[in-house]
Amino acid sequence: MFTGIITGIGHISAVTPLGDTATHGKRLTLTCPTGYLDDVGLGDSIALNGACMTVTTLDATQQQFTIDISAESLDKTAGLDQPGPVNLEKALRAHDRLGGHIVSGHVDGMGHVTYFAEIGESWQLRVMAPPALAKYLAYKGSITVNGVSLTVNQIQDRAEGCEMSINLIPHTVQNTALGSLKVGSSVNLEIDLIARYVERMLSVDAGDLKNDFSIGKQR
C-alpha cells in the first residue's frame, strides 16, 4: 500500500528487453537520489509513477536498483517503457503518516494531459480520463496521477471521457516528475479505493451472490 506522497524523483537510465517477442517484458534500471535506497532491500515494493513494482537487484553504492515489468504491465501503464524521470514512493509502513490517501499501486487506466499551465502562484493541470473511470471521479474527490495523490477541483463529462481539473502548488511541481508533463502526455491514473468498493456494493444485489460462506456462520 502507498499514500500518493512522492518520496523522490528517480530516473529510468536503461531499458533492457527480457526476450525477443512482444510477449516479453523489460528490465528497468533506475537511478535514485543520494541515500534513497539506504532502507530498501531486495523484494521491497516501490511505486514507479503510481505502479507498484518489486526491487529485483540493488546497488546502494551506485544509487541504482532494477525492476522487471511484464508486457501486460507495460501495455497498461505510461512512462515506464523508455528512459526518463519517474515519481518514486516506497511502500507504506504501519507507523507512517497517511498524508495523501490510500493507494494500492494498481493503475486503473491511462489518461492524457489536455492543459498544463502556470496560473498565479500555482499550476492548473487538466487530464482527460477514459469513460470507464468517469463514474469514480467527483468534485473534491481523490485521484492518483502518476503516483501523486491529488484533489479533483472540477470535472466535465465529455463524449471522449471525463476531463478533470487539478491545481498543483509549486512544491508539488518542483518535487515530483509532474513538472515535466505537457499537453498530450499520457499519465497513469488510480481511482480512490473507497469509490471502487462503493461502486461494487451498489452494483451487486446480495441475493445474486451464491456462496456457502456467510459472515458469522459457524461450522
Side-chain angles (χ1 to χ4, degrees):
M1 301 298 293
F2 304 89
T3 68
I5 302 299
I6 301 306
T7 53
I9 301 177
H11 189 91
I12 299 176
S13 54
V15 179
T16 306
L18 294 175
D20 299 328
T21 71
T23 62
H24 289 91
K26 299 181 184 296
R27 177 164 295 151
L28 308 184
T29 301
L30 294 104
T31 303
C32 306
T34 301
Y36 189 82
L37 298 175
D38 289 352
D39 61 348
V40 173
L42 290 178
D44 280 2
S45 295
I46 296 181
L48 311 181
N49 273 358
C52 180
M53 298 293 164
T54 301
V55 175
T56 54
T57 68
L58 183 67
D59 187 346
T61 60
Q62 296 296 318
Q63 303 302 323
Q64 289 187 334
F65 71 96
T66 65
I67 65 100
D68 290 347
I69 181 170
S70 67
E72 171 70 11
S73 292
L74 286 168
D75 183 60
K76 297 297 190 294
T77 60
L80 300 181
D81 58 348
Q82 59 188 350
V86 290
N87 292 316
L88 302 176
E89 183 186 356
K90 301 171 188 175
L92 177 68
R93 296 171 294 189
H95 64 281
D96 282 344
R97 292 185 176 93
L98 188 60
H101 68 283
I102 299 174
V103 175
S104 67
H106 300 154
V107 176
D108 292 302
M110 288 185 287
H112 65 272
V113 177
T114 58
Y115 182 84
F116 188 42
E118 191 172 8
I119 299 178
E121 77 289 350
S122 62
W123 292 71
Q124 185 179 73
L125 172 65
R126 297 180 199 160
V127 175
M128 183 67 71
L133 299 186
K135 61 184 175 182
Y136 300 106
L137 303 175
Y139 172 65
K140 295 302 181 184
S142 296
I143 185 70
T144 305
V145 179
N146 276 359
V148 185
S149 173
L150 299 168
T151 300
V152 177
N153 290 328
Q154 186 178 7
I155 56 172
Q156 181 68 52
D157 290 312
R158 304 183 185 280
E160 63 271 35
C162 181
E163 186 180 50
M164 54 185 161
S165 179
I166 299 165
N167 282 346
L168 304 178
I169 62 174
H171 177 85
T172 301
V173 175
Q174 295 163 8
N175 291 278
T176 71
L178 295 183
S180 64
L181 294 177
K182 57 185 179 181
V183 173
S185 294
S186 294
V187 292
N188 297 320
L189 302 176
E190 182 183 336
I191 60 172
D192 184 31
L193 191 64
I194 296 174
R196 190 196 314 273
Y197 281 106
V198 169
E199 192 276 336
R200 173 64 174 169
M201 287 186 288
L202 293 176
S203 64
V204 176
D205 187 335
D208 294 335
L209 297 178
K210 307 300 182 182
N211 199 318
D212 290 336
F213 298 96
S214 301
I215 297 175
K217 185 174 181 179
Q218 301 296 317
R219 289 184 176 271

CSV table of all heavy atoms in Angstrom, one decimal, residues 8-9 26 31 45 48 54-55 76-77 84 88 94 108 112 125 141 151 157 163 169 182 185 188 194 206 210 217:
chain,number,residue,atom,x,y,z
A,8,GLY,N,10.6,10.7,-3.7
A,8,GLY,CA,11.8,11.0,-4.5
A,8,GLY,C,11.5,11.0,-6.0
A,8,GLY,O,10.5,10.4,-6.4
A,9,ILE,N,12.4,11.6,-6.8
A,9,ILE,CA,12.3,11.5,-8.3
A,9,ILE,C,13.4,10.7,-8.7
A,9,ILE,O,14.6,11.0,-8.5
A,9,ILE,CB,12.3,12.9,-8.9
A,9,ILE,CG1,11.2,13.8,-8.4
A,9,ILE,CG2,12.3,12.8,-10.4
A,9,ILE,CD1,11.3,15.2,-8.9
A,26,LYS,N,10.3,-6.1,-19.8
A,26,LYS,CA,11.6,-5.4,-19.9
A,26,LYS,C,12.1,-5.3,-18.4
A,26,LYS,O,11.4,-5.4,-17.5
A,26,LYS,CB,11.4,-4.0,-20.5
A,26,LYS,CG,10.9,-4.0,-21.9
A,26,LYS,CD,10.8,-2.6,-22.5
A,26,LYS,CE,10.1,-2.6,-23.9
A,26,LYS,NZ,11.0,-3.3,-24.9
A,31,THR,N,18.0,5.1,-11.4
A,31,THR,CA,18.9,5.8,-10.6
A,31,THR,C,18.1,6.7,-9.6
A,31,THR,O,17.2,7.4,-10.0
A,31,THR,CB,19.9,6.7,-11.4
A,31,THR,OG1,20.5,5.8,-12.3
A,31,THR,CG2,20.9,7.4,-10.5
A,45,SER,N,8.7,-3.3,-2.2
A,45,SER,CA,7.8,-2.7,-3.2
A,45,SER,C,8.1,-1.2,-3.3
A,45,SER,O,8.2,-0.5,-2.3
A,45,SER,CB,6.4,-2.9,-2.8
A,45,SER,OG,6.0,-4.3,-2.9
A,48,LEU,N,6.4,3.2,-9.1
A,48,LEU,CA,7.0,4.0,-10.1
A,48,LEU,C,5.9,4.6,-10.9
A,48,LEU,O,5.1,3.9,-11.6
A,48,LEU,CB,7.9,3.1,-11.1
A,48,LEU,CG,8.9,2.1,-10.5
A,48,LEU,CD1,9.6,1.4,-11.6
A,48,LEU,CD2,9.9,2.9,-9.6
A,54,THR,N,8.5,-4.5,-7.9
A,54,THR,CA,9.4,-5.2,-6.9
A,54,THR,C,10.8,-5.0,-7.3
A,54,THR,O,11.2,-5.2,-8.4
A,54,THR,CB,9.0,-6.7,-6.9
A,54,THR,OG1,7.7,-6.9,-6.6
A,54,THR,CG2,9.9,-7.4,-5.9
A,55,VAL,N,11.6,-4.6,-6.2
A,55,VAL,CA,13.1,-4.5,-6.4
A,55,VAL,C,13.7,-5.8,-6.6
A,55,VAL,O,13.6,-6.7,-5.8
A,55,VAL,CB,13.7,-3.8,-5.2
A,55,VAL,CG1,15.2,-3.7,-5.3
A,55,VAL,CG2,13.1,-2.4,-5.0
A,76,LYS,N,-0.4,-1.5,-20.0
A,76,LYS,CA,-1.5,-0.8,-19.2
A,76,LYS,C,-1.0,0.4,-18.4
A,76,LYS,O,-1.7,0.9,-17.6
A,76,LYS,CB,-2.1,-1.9,-18.2
A,76,LYS,CG,-2.8,-3.0,-18.9
A,76,LYS,CD,-4.0,-2.6,-19.7
A,76,LYS,CE,-4.8,-3.7,-20.2
A,76,LYS,NZ,-4.1,-4.6,-21.1
A,77,THR,N,0.3,0.8,-18.6
A,77,THR,CA,0.8,1.9,-17.9
A,77,THR,C,1.5,2.9,-18.9
A,77,THR,O,1.8,2.5,-20.1
A,77,THR,CB,1.8,1.5,-16.9
A,77,THR,OG1,2.9,0.8,-17.5
A,77,THR,CG2,1.2,0.7,-15.8
A,84,GLY,N,13.8,8.2,-18.6
A,84,GLY,CA,13.1,9.5,-18.3
A,84,GLY,C,12.8,9.5,-16.8
A,84,GLY,O,13.0,8.5,-16.0
A,88,LEU,N,8.8,8.3,-7.4
A,88,LEU,CA,9.1,7.2,-6.6
A,88,LEU,C,8.4,7.3,-5.2
A,88,LEU,O,8.3,8.4,-4.6
A,88,LEU,CB,10.6,7.0,-6.3
A,88,LEU,CG,11.5,6.9,-7.5
A,88,LEU,CD1,13.0,6.9,-7.0
A,88,LEU,CD2,11.2,5.6,-8.3
A,94,ALA,N,3.5,0.6,8.8
A,94,ALA,CA,2.3,0.6,9.7
A,94,ALA,C,2.3,1.9,10.5
A,94,ALA,O,1.3,2.4,10.9
A,94,ALA,CB,2.3,-0.6,10.6
A,108,ASP,N,-5.5,2.0,-12.8
A,108,ASP,CA,-6.8,1.6,-13.3
A,108,ASP,C,-7.0,2.0,-14.8
A,108,ASP,O,-7.9,1.5,-15.4
A,108,ASP,CB,-7.9,2.3,-12.5
A,108,ASP,CG,-7.9,1.8,-11.1
A,108,ASP,OD1,-8.1,0.6,-10.9
A,108,ASP,OD2,-7.7,2.5,-10.1
A,112,HIS,N,-4.8,11.4,-20.5
A,112,HIS,CA,-3.8,12.3,-21.2
A,112,HIS,C,-4.0,13.7,-20.8
A,112,HIS,O,-5.2,14.1,-20.5
A,112,HIS,CB,-3.9,12.1,-22.7
A,112,HIS,CG,-5.1,12.5,-23.4
A,112,HIS,ND1,-6.2,11.7,-23.5
A,112,HIS,CD2,-5.5,13.7,-23.9
A,112,HIS,CE1,-7.2,12.4,-24.1
A,112,HIS,NE2,-6.8,13.6,-24.3
A,125,LEU,N,-3.6,21.7,-13.9
A,125,LEU,CA,-3.4,20.5,-14.7
A,125,LEU,C,-4.8,20.0,-15.1
A,125,LEU,O,-5.6,19.8,-14.2
A,125,LEU,CB,-2.6,19.5,-13.9
A,125,LEU,CG,-2.5,18.1,-14.5
A,125,LEU,CD1,-1.7,18.1,-15.9
A,125,LEU,CD2,-1.9,17.1,-13.5
A,141,GLY,N,-12.9,15.0,-4.8
A,141,GLY,CA,-12.5,13.6,-4.6
A,141,GLY,C,-11.0,13.4,-4.8
A,141,GLY,O,-10.3,14.3,-5.3
A,151,THR,N,-6.2,16.3,-5.5
A,151,THR,CA,-7.7,16.6,-5.3
A,151,THR,C,-8.3,17.1,-6.6
A,151,THR,O,-7.7,18.0,-7.2
A,151,THR,CB,-7.8,17.6,-4.1
A,151,THR,OG1,-7.3,17.0,-2.9
A,151,THR,CG2,-9.3,17.9,-3.9
A,157,ASP,N,-17.9,16.0,-17.9
A,157,ASP,CA,-18.1,14.8,-18.7
A,157,ASP,C,-18.2,15.2,-20.2
A,157,ASP,O,-18.9,16.1,-20.5
A,157,ASP,CB,-19.4,14.1,-18.2
A,157,ASP,CG,-19.2,13.5,-16.8
A,157,ASP,OD1,-18.2,12.8,-16.6
A,157,ASP,OD2,-20.1,13.7,-16.0
A,163,GLU,N,-13.0,15.0,-18.2
A,163,GLU,CA,-11.9,15.9,-18.0
A,163,GLU,C,-11.9,16.4,-16.6
A,163,GLU,O,-12.9,17.0,-16.2
A,163,GLU,CB,-11.9,17.0,-19.0
A,163,GLU,CG,-10.7,17.9,-19.0
A,163,GLU,CD,-10.7,19.0,-20.0
A,163,GLU,OE1,-11.7,19.8,-20.0
A,163,GLU,OE2,-9.7,19.2,-20.7
A,169,ILE,N,0.4,23.0,-6.4
A,169,ILE,CA,1.2,24.1,-5.8
A,169,ILE,C,2.6,24.0,-6.3
A,169,ILE,O,3.0,22.9,-6.7
A,169,ILE,CB,1.1,24.0,-4.2
A,169,ILE,CG1,1.7,22.7,-3.7
A,169,ILE,CG2,-0.3,24.2,-3.7
A,169,ILE,CD1,1.8,22.6,-2.2
A,182,LYS,N,3.4,17.7,-20.4
A,182,LYS,CA,3.0,18.7,-21.4
A,182,LYS,C,1.7,18.2,-22.0
A,182,LYS,O,1.3,17.0,-21.8
A,182,LYS,CB,4.1,18.8,-22.4
A,182,LYS,CG,4.5,17.6,-23.1
A,182,LYS,CD,5.6,17.8,-24.1
A,182,LYS,CE,6.1,16.5,-24.8
A,182,LYS,NZ,7.2,16.7,-25.7
A,185,SER,N,0.7,14.4,-23.0
A,185,SER,CA,1.4,13.4,-22.2
A,185,SER,C,0.4,12.4,-21.7
A,185,SER,O,-0.7,12.7,-21.2
A,185,SER,CB,2.2,14.0,-21.1
A,185,SER,OG,3.2,14.8,-21.5
A,188,ASN,N,-0.6,7.8,-15.7
A,188,ASN,CA,-1.2,6.7,-15.0
A,188,ASN,C,-2.2,7.2,-14.0
A,188,ASN,O,-1.9,8.1,-13.3
A,188,ASN,CB,-0.2,5.8,-14.3
A,188,ASN,CG,0.8,5.2,-15.3
A,188,ASN,OD1,0.4,4.7,-16.3
A,188,ASN,ND2,2.1,5.2,-14.9
A,194,ILE,N,-11.9,3.8,-2.0
A,194,ILE,CA,-13.2,3.7,-1.4
A,194,ILE,C,-14.3,3.8,-2.5
A,194,ILE,O,-15.3,3.1,-2.4
A,194,ILE,CB,-13.4,4.9,-0.4
A,194,ILE,CG1,-12.4,4.8,0.8
A,194,ILE,CG2,-14.8,5.0,0.1
A,194,ILE,CD1,-12.4,5.9,1.7
A,206,ALA,N,-27.2,-8.5,-3.2
A,206,ALA,CA,-26.7,-9.5,-2.3
A,206,ALA,C,-27.4,-10.8,-2.6
A,206,ALA,O,-26.8,-11.9,-2.4
A,206,ALA,CB,-27.0,-9.1,-0.9
A,210,LYS,N,-24.2,-16.3,-4.8
A,210,LYS,CA,-24.4,-17.7,-4.4
A,210,LYS,C,-23.1,-18.1,-3.7
A,210,LYS,O,-22.2,-18.4,-4.4
A,210,LYS,CB,-24.8,-18.5,-5.5
A,210,LYS,CG,-26.0,-18.0,-6.3
A,210,LYS,CD,-27.3,-17.9,-5.5
A,210,LYS,CE,-28.5,-17.5,-6.3
A,210,LYS,NZ,-29.7,-17.3,-5.5
A,217,LYS,N,-21.1,-17.2,10.3
A,217,LYS,CA,-21.7,-18.5,10.2
A,217,LYS,C,-20.7,-19.5,10.8
A,217,LYS,O,-19.5,-19.5,10.5
A,217,LYS,CB,-22.0,-18.9,8.8
A,217,LYS,CG,-22.7,-20.3,8.6
A,217,LYS,CD,-23.1,-20.5,7.2
A,217,LYS,CE,-23.8,-21.9,7.0
A,217,LYS,NZ,-24.2,-22.1,5.7
